[in-house]
Amino acid sequence: QVQLVESGGGSVQAGGSLRLTCAASPSIYYSSNCMAWFRQATEKEREGVARISVRDRSTYHADSVKGRFTISQDNAKNTIYLQMDNLKPEDSAMYYCATLKVCYNWEAGKWGQGTQVTVSS
């Protein structure tokens, strides 16, 4: 079974940048064709942020982050990234990496433990 470990969260001022990392073992190809980043803010439902097909690298970004966040992968490192630029206070949340059961929706399979992102104004 694939294991996912996130890192890269932290505290940043509005307008700043962070890059989240999701390390998959044994491989990003192990149990899914697609992987995604989700986030959950305090007292809000978990939402899908971005997803990527690990086979053809096609991506989808939610409207709330489009143009500011970019999902990508490094096959050699079995890693998925989320580059977050021009961060806003409303981006503050726990961010989770997950495998997706299919590539065209947000139905997740395996979850990581999460990494906290806090954006101050």
Side-chain angles (χ1 to χ4, degrees), residues 13 31 42 85-86 91 109 111 113:
Q13 289 190 329
S31 64
T42 303
D85 298 318
N86 190 22
D91 294 319
W111 294 93
Q113 84 287 350

Side-chain angles (χ1 to χ4, degrees), residues 37-49 90-96 111 114-117:
W37 286 97
F38 291 77
R39 67 185 180 186
Q40 187 168 20
T42 303
E43 298 183 348
K44 292 190 177 180
E45 291 187 357
R46 192 171 297 188
E47 63 172 340
V49 174
E90 52 264 42
D91 294 319
S92 296
M94 184 71 79
Y95 282 72
Y96 299 90
W111 294 93
T115 185
Q116 179 68 42
V117 171

Side-chain angles (χ1 to χ4, degrees), residues 3 11-12 15 22 31-32 36-37 53 55 57 60-61 82 87 96 107 111-113:
Q3 300 294 319
S11 297
V12 64
C22 172
S31 64
S32 174
W37 286 97
S53 167
R55 302 292 175 181
R57 302 197 182 210
Y60 174 87
H61 296 80
L82 185 68
L87 282 160
Y96 299 90
E107 187 178 3
W111 294 93
Q113 84 287 350

Side-chain angles (χ1 to χ4, degrees), residues 33-95:
N33 288 324
C34 278
M35 297 188 68
W37 286 97
F38 291 77
R39 67 185 180 186
Q40 187 168 20
T42 303
E43 298 183 348
K44 292 190 177 180
E45 291 187 357
R46 192 171 297 188
E47 63 172 340
V49 174
R51 60 184 184 245
I52 186 167
S53 167
V54 298
R55 302 292 175 181
D56 64 18
R57 302 197 182 210
S58 58
T59 61
Y60 174 87
H61 296 80
D63 287 343
S64 58
V65 305
K66 197 171 294 184
R68 300 188 299 121
F69 292 11
T70 304
I71 190 171
S72 63
Q73 67 187 64
D74 184 329
N75 294 352
K77 296 182 178 179
N78 287 306
T79 298
I80 303 293
Y81 300 102
L82 185 68
Q83 178 66 41
M84 306 187 295
D85 298 318
N86 190 22
L87 282 160
K88 304 176 181 180
E90 52 264 42
D91 294 319
S92 296
M94 184 71 79
Y95 282 72

